[in-house]
Amino acid sequence: MNIKVSAGFPYPLGATVTSEGVNFALFSANAEKVELCLFDSKGEKELIKIEMPEFTDDIWHVCIEGIEAGALYGYRVHGPFEPHNGHRFNPAKLLLDPYAKALFGEFVENKANYSYDLDSCQKDLTLDYQNNAAYMPKCVVTNELEALGEKPQIRRRDTIIYEMHVKGFTRLNQAVSEKLRGTYLGLADDASIDYLKALGITSVELLPVHQFIDEPFTKEKGLANYWGYNSINFFAPDARYALGDGIEEFREMVNKLHQAGIEVILDVVYNHSAEGNELGPTFCFKGIDNASYYRLTKHDKRFYENFSGCGNTFNIDHPRVLQMVTDSLRYWVQTMGVDGFRFDLASILGRERPHFNQYNHFFNTIKQDPILAGVKLIAEPWDIGQDGYQLGRFPNSWMEWNDRFRDTVRRFWRGDHGMLADFANRIHGSSDLFENRSRRPSSSINFITSHDGYTLCDLVSYQEKHNHANGENNKDGHNANYSCNFGVEGETADTEVNALRLQQQKNILTTLFISQGTPMLLSGDEFGHSQKGNNNAYCQDNETSWLSWQKAHNSELLNFVQELIELRKAHPLLNRTHYHHGDNYSAKTGLADISWLNCHGKPMQDGQWHDHNIKCFAMLLANTEHELSSDDFYHDDALLVIFNAHDHEHLYHLPKLNGYWQTIFNTADTNTKQNENLARTELMVSPHSCCLLSFSQSPAEFTQENETYELN
């Protein structure tokens, strides 16, 4: 090779194309020597090893003149192999650059990928001298790219999230070109974009797209990691969703979604890596500087603190690890164009030694960063460690997955006793968890289902999980699902059971979209996607998880969800900026901004809130004028939502007001006409149903003449 080597610069980290060549910079505080390895265009032959000549502020660096973008490379890092002291250096192992923007080739399972001899005693590991280069992908030198165009800038208050999987969304969609199905470009296809626009969501939340690998135990069972929570690189888009250039294809997908007014939020996994526990493989971080990148146990640094449940935990307290995470986040915002992030097991990112602190280095760094402070930040507010459950305790600027909403809504509609007060708290925006001077209802990410657990269809079709296909003897997955099969386990031809299941799905979806907070819909729930009772389909990269688009055709449920989303957008009372507690009143109607009413149309009494047998009540939202903007479509005087989780009908007395009650919808009656003025103030509310009415002091455009109207 005709190259020229010079010292280069310690920043930026990674491989950077410059006018002088390509600058390489790698952090390792404890290494004794680092070699840059260049490969041929097929990634098969190691052409040259170049000892990196400079070591500045714990960063090894070199500049190579004579190579350009597209060059393939990796690292070999020298140092002590002392697992009990936290060091796992092994120069026989080719290592990935943590800052690589693209990878060439595939990971091949082989014992050479382990830094220790697999046949050695597990108590005292011995060094393995096999070269693993043939089984590792190679890093690719990439050019710096310009930022994408303007972004949608969806207000938090207006956000409606659609959680989806890049592959699973289009893999079976025949409206998408066959070669594009299951890829970034498949999601960018007009058929995908048109569907999302018609559905009405504002933001897609993509399951992990950082380069990840399959765990050995999934491969042994003939399965694969489908969800992607096993990242090994935090800059490269996963190649399995690309036809060619993953960077450009991902950017095209983001650009197409942005042009349609849809945000892109990434589910990211900065809490652990795919290198596993003390017996796991060495692909990158372990071999570069294990003692810096990971949290190790104090009594024996061979072992990892495992707050993730995946074998290891990143040491986010270390400034260079924190830098890697924030550099990654900025890259995805600035270069790849994304609009926000959902952080897997986010409590880990707030852990100090060992407790959670919302003012720790990570959160403070994000808060002051001019790029990251302005994007959507969503926490999964728990991990598996002690005091890992931190719902409601994240910084004010963050949004949080609200599993209390999920479980309470499931239990209420299942018919559990004693759920009334907590149900009201959840649909009110969980003010008991989130409200303070600076937080808003939008902080609560309200969801019923997510990738992890039952789909909505299965939630009302299965009493027990059916995870046998996962090969773990049905012991994996959640046990507390708060589900109900309504008489028959799984699919059935019983029309009455199916009708009730459909109605319950409508009840749950209605609750999701009329609640204060930010709704998140699991893709496929809008048309009844089923995983056949599997509530842990992480390893089901097949038709169990892929959306079956045949169900979407002429789907009554899909039409209902579209109407719900349109309704939420059109009626600002369903989507308030601030918390309301019934202490503001309308000068026009005299109604409080929010009221909780019993079946007599009267305010709920303390004793009724604690009556475990009551499952029917109503929420009345009134317009107090000052909260509306000129952009709002409907200026309702009030909205009334009646919930009946009983298995029998209830006669409901509407509040006696000087004006007109009009129907919007009723989950028990698909023939309910919208905007009809009701001629009476008593409604027979069907069992297992939910209905929404609007109140106005002005009549609708047409009226019923001397007709008694019942909701049935």
Side-chain angles (χ1 to χ4, degrees), residues 573 585-590 622-629 635-637:
L573 290 179
Y585 292 85
S586 168
K588 183 178 180 182
T589 63
N623 170 24
T624 53
E625 287 85 26
H626 63 82
E627 60 191 319
L628 297 177
S629 72
H635 289 232
D636 308 285
D637 287 337

Short mmCIF file of all heavy atoms in Angstrom, two decimals, residues 573 585-590 622-629 635-637:
data_model
loop_
_atom_site.label_atom_id
_atom_site.label_comp_id
_atom_site.label_asym_id
_atom_site.label_seq_id
_atom_site.Cartn_x
_atom_site.Cartn_y
_atom_site.Cartn_z
N LEU A 573 -60.31 19.77 24.12
CA LEU A 573 -60.56 19.38 25.51
C LEU A 573 -59.97 18.01 25.82
O LEU A 573 -59.70 17.69 26.99
CB LEU A 573 -62.06 19.38 25.80
CG LEU A 573 -62.76 20.74 25.85
CD1 LEU A 573 -64.25 20.57 26.11
CD2 LEU A 573 -62.14 21.62 26.92
N TYR A 585 -63.67 27.77 36.16
CA TYR A 585 -65.06 27.63 35.73
C TYR A 585 -65.31 28.43 34.45
O TYR A 585 -64.70 29.48 34.22
CB TYR A 585 -66.03 28.09 36.82
CG TYR A 585 -66.02 27.18 38.03
CD1 TYR A 585 -65.07 27.36 39.04
CD2 TYR A 585 -66.92 26.14 38.15
CE1 TYR A 585 -65.04 26.52 40.14
CE2 TYR A 585 -66.89 25.29 39.24
CZ TYR A 585 -65.95 25.49 40.24
OH TYR A 585 -65.92 24.65 41.32
N SER A 586 -66.22 27.91 33.66
CA SER A 586 -66.61 28.59 32.42
C SER A 586 -67.60 29.70 32.73
O SER A 586 -68.62 29.47 33.39
CB SER A 586 -67.23 27.58 31.45
OG SER A 586 -67.85 28.24 30.38
N ALA A 587 -67.31 30.89 32.22
CA ALA A 587 -68.25 32.01 32.40
C ALA A 587 -69.51 31.77 31.59
O ALA A 587 -70.57 32.31 31.90
CB ALA A 587 -67.58 33.31 31.97
N LYS A 588 -69.40 30.94 30.56
CA LYS A 588 -70.54 30.69 29.67
C LYS A 588 -71.50 29.65 30.23
O LYS A 588 -72.72 29.85 30.25
CB LYS A 588 -70.02 30.24 28.31
CG LYS A 588 -71.10 30.01 27.26
CD LYS A 588 -70.46 29.62 25.94
CE LYS A 588 -71.52 29.38 24.87
NZ LYS A 588 -70.91 28.96 23.58
N THR A 589 -70.96 28.54 30.71
CA THR A 589 -71.82 27.44 31.17
C THR A 589 -71.82 27.27 32.68
O THR A 589 -72.69 26.58 33.22
CB THR A 589 -71.35 26.12 30.55
OG1 THR A 589 -70.03 25.82 31.01
CG2 THR A 589 -71.37 26.20 29.02
N GLY A 590 -70.84 27.84 33.36
CA GLY A 590 -70.72 27.66 34.80
C GLY A 590 -70.09 26.34 35.20
O GLY A 590 -69.98 26.04 36.39
N ALA A 622 -64.94 20.65 30.56
CA ALA A 622 -65.61 21.89 30.13
C ALA A 622 -64.59 22.88 29.62
O ALA A 622 -63.47 23.00 30.13
CB ALA A 622 -66.39 22.49 31.29
N ASN A 623 -65.01 23.63 28.62
CA ASN A 623 -64.19 24.68 28.04
C ASN A 623 -64.25 25.92 28.93
O ASN A 623 -65.32 26.47 29.17
CB ASN A 623 -64.70 25.00 26.63
CG ASN A 623 -64.07 26.24 26.05
OD1 ASN A 623 -62.97 26.62 26.44
ND2 ASN A 623 -64.77 26.85 25.11
N THR A 624 -63.10 26.33 29.41
CA THR A 624 -63.03 27.56 30.21
C THR A 624 -62.44 28.71 29.39
O THR A 624 -61.80 29.61 29.92
CB THR A 624 -62.21 27.33 31.49
OG1 THR A 624 -60.94 26.79 31.14
CG2 THR A 624 -62.93 26.38 32.41
N GLU A 625 -62.65 28.63 28.08
CA GLU A 625 -62.32 29.66 27.09
C GLU A 625 -60.83 29.92 26.91
O GLU A 625 -60.32 29.88 25.79
CB GLU A 625 -63.01 31.01 27.41
CG GLU A 625 -64.50 31.01 27.14
CD GLU A 625 -65.31 30.45 28.30
OE1 GLU A 625 -64.82 30.53 29.43
OE2 GLU A 625 -66.40 29.92 28.06
N HIS A 626 -60.10 30.18 27.96
CA HIS A 626 -58.73 30.66 27.84
C HIS A 626 -57.77 29.61 27.27
O HIS A 626 -56.67 29.93 26.85
CB HIS A 626 -58.19 31.10 29.20
CG HIS A 626 -58.12 30.01 30.22
ND1 HIS A 626 -57.08 29.12 30.27
CD2 HIS A 626 -58.99 29.65 31.21
CE1 HIS A 626 -57.28 28.26 31.26
NE2 HIS A 626 -58.43 28.56 31.84
N GLU A 627 -58.20 28.31 27.24
CA GLU A 627 -57.26 27.28 26.84
C GLU A 627 -57.29 27.00 25.34
O GLU A 627 -56.50 26.21 24.83
CB GLU A 627 -57.56 25.99 27.59
CG GLU A 627 -58.96 25.45 27.34
CD GLU A 627 -59.30 24.33 28.33
OE1 GLU A 627 -58.41 23.52 28.60
OE2 GLU A 627 -60.42 24.29 28.83
N LEU A 628 -58.18 27.61 24.58
CA LEU A 628 -58.30 27.32 23.16
C LEU A 628 -57.43 28.26 22.34
O LEU A 628 -57.17 29.39 22.72
CB LEU A 628 -59.75 27.44 22.71
CG LEU A 628 -60.72 26.44 23.37
CD1 LEU A 628 -62.13 26.70 22.89
CD2 LEU A 628 -60.31 25.02 23.05
N SER A 629 -57.01 27.79 21.18
CA SER A 629 -56.26 28.63 20.25
C SER A 629 -57.06 28.76 18.96
O SER A 629 -58.04 28.04 18.73
CB SER A 629 -54.89 28.00 19.95
OG SER A 629 -55.03 26.85 19.13
N HIS A 635 -64.86 23.99 19.11
CA HIS A 635 -64.84 24.76 20.36
C HIS A 635 -66.01 24.27 21.22
O HIS A 635 -67.01 24.97 21.40
CB HIS A 635 -64.96 26.26 20.05
CG HIS A 635 -63.73 26.82 19.44
ND1 HIS A 635 -63.09 27.94 19.92
CD2 HIS A 635 -62.99 26.41 18.39
CE1 HIS A 635 -62.03 28.20 19.17
NE2 HIS A 635 -61.95 27.28 18.24
N ASP A 636 -65.90 23.04 21.71
CA ASP A 636 -66.97 22.46 22.52
C ASP A 636 -67.17 23.27 23.79
O ASP A 636 -66.22 23.77 24.39
CB ASP A 636 -66.61 21.03 22.93
CG ASP A 636 -66.20 20.18 21.74
OD1 ASP A 636 -67.07 19.78 20.98
OD2 ASP A 636 -64.99 19.91 21.62
N ASP A 637 -68.43 23.37 24.20
CA ASP A 637 -68.67 23.90 25.54
C ASP A 637 -68.27 22.87 26.59
O ASP A 637 -67.74 23.22 27.64
CB ASP A 637 -70.15 24.28 25.71
CG ASP A 637 -70.50 25.54 24.93
OD1 ASP A 637 -69.58 26.33 24.66
OD2 ASP A 637 -71.68 25.72 24.58
#
